[in-house]
Amino acid sequence: MFKTARMALLAALFAGIAGPALAADLAEPPPVEPAPPPVVEAQPVDVGGWYIRGDIDYHWSRFGGGDYITYGAAPQIQGSFASGSLKGALSAGAGIGYQVNQYFRTDLTADWMGKSNFRGSTDGFCSGGTVACVSTDTSSYSALLLLANAYIDIGTWHGVTPYVGAGIGGAWVKWDTLHNSDLDGDFFHQGGKGWRFAYALMAGASYCLTDRVKLDVGYRYSHINGGKMFEYASDSNVGPGYDRGINVHEVRGGLRYQFGGQSDCAPPPEPYQPEPEPIYTK
């Protein structure tokens, strides 16, 4: 009996000592690693499409000088204006363009430039060429300016996109009747008109009002080549006359509406997110 009890006690002691050791030797299952988060691929925004625009401005014109012909005892005498200045006026225009990408666009514009009043003077001789005198000359000009333009949009920050641009085209210029007044009386010359070469440089910024509409504010410098200013008048034996060109400084404001393609004012599309892969455990 005591022998049996001793054997049971030894067995219990062996089990208590060997059990933890055997359990430590058993291989533990590997931990289950969580799957890495899916890679979010940013989709490029393909900005581009057709747009229309409308603008108004106030412009200041600078008279580049003028020359005319006087017929007298000699076959002809070349004369020049002693002074000349032009007042400011309003303009309005419209155009259609295409946004090629986020940084480049082009458009065609037509602007009607309202009448700018002209006042100038000439030096000469009155009373049959015996008395020196100064005349006063008044007129006005208006123009239709047609330009093909290209712009670089520098970038967009908080809805604001600064830009620079240039344009080339032509201007149809119309001078009104020139009124010449001096000691000999008042003389009237029919105004000249015709097409001339023109170019422009501009800078400004646009602001997103909606996902399709932009407010555009900027400055434009335009140069219109010289051309006929007035015709010959037989009662004064003077004419024709030619201006040497007109420089125009404009402060412009308007709206652009993009009706095709992706606008850079629109929120970017949601990035593609692949479905997470399922995690399998044993």
Side-chain angles (χ1 to χ4, degrees):
M1 177 179 179
F2 290 106
K3 184 178 179 180
T4 302
R6 285 197 301 270
M7 292 180 64
L9 179 61
L10 290 174
L13 291 174
F14 178 77
I17 296 172
L22 292 174
D25 291 338
L26 294 176
E28 295 183 359
V32 177
E33 296 286 343
V39 177
V40 177
E41 299 180 2
Q43 301 299 308
V45 179
D46 187 16
V47 174
W50 292 96
Y51 66 85
I52 55 176
R53 65 181 300 160
D55 302 277
I56 58 174
D57 76 54
Y58 190 84
H59 63 269
W60 296 267
S61 299
R62 296 291 180 263
F63 183 67
D67 304 297
Y68 57 90
I69 298 172
T70 300
Y71 294 90
Q76 63 183 38
I77 302 173
Q78 184 77 29
S80 300
F81 280 90
S83 66
S85 63
L86 289 160
K87 296 291 186 180
L90 292 172
S91 299
I96 183 169
Y98 188 79
Q99 184 85 42
V100 180
N101 54 43
Q102 188 175 358
Y103 301 104
F104 183 72
R105 58 188 169 89
T106 62
D107 60 30
L108 299 174
T109 56
D111 293 87
W112 177 253
M113 306 175 70
K115 287 186 178 181
S116 295
N117 292 328
F118 170 80
R119 185 177 182 86
S121 64
T122 59
D123 298 327
F125 292 90
C126 299
S127 301
T130 60
V131 179
C133 62
V134 177
S135 71
T136 299
D137 300 88
T138 58
S139 182
S140 62
Y141 93 95
S142 55
L144 174 64
L145 181 63
L146 303 178
L147 293 172
N149 308 291
Y151 309 86
I152 296 176
D153 292 329
I154 299 172
T156 302
W157 296 272
H158 305 289
V160 178
T161 305
Y163 65 83
V164 294
I168 188 171
W172 188 81
V173 177
K174 179 182 181 299
W175 281 96
D176 289 337
T177 299
L178 177 73
H179 178 199
N180 173 269
S181 178
D182 58 25
L183 293 177
D184 289 334
D186 294 318
F187 305 93
F188 298 90
H189 300 259
Q190 180 183 346
K193 57 186 176 182
W195 285 99
R196 309 179 184 189
F197 174 77
Y199 66 86
L201 302 172
M202 60 281 285
S206 63
Y207 176 72
C208 296
L209 296 178
T210 71
D211 61 342
R212 292 289 178 181
V213 180
K214 290 184 177 182
L215 172 67
D216 192 318
V217 178
Y219 162 80
R220 182 170 73 180
Y221 164 78
S222 304
H223 174 76
I224 301 173
N225 272 13
K228 183 173 285 189
M229 184 177 178
F230 57 88
E231 303 287 354
Y232 170 76
S234 59
D235 56 352
S236 66
N237 290 324
V238 176
Y242 299 85
D243 67 78
R244 300 173 192 162
I246 303 170
N247 297 318
V248 185
H249 302 271
E250 304 172 62
V251 177
R252 301 167 57 82
L255 297 174
R256 301 205 315 259
Y257 176 78
Q258 184 167 325
F259 55 87
Q262 173 70 37
S263 170
D264 55 1
C265 290
E270 292 293 331
Y272 170 73
Q273 295 187 4
E275 293 292 332
E277 296 184 2
I279 301 174
Y280 299 97
T281 59
K282 294 183 179 180

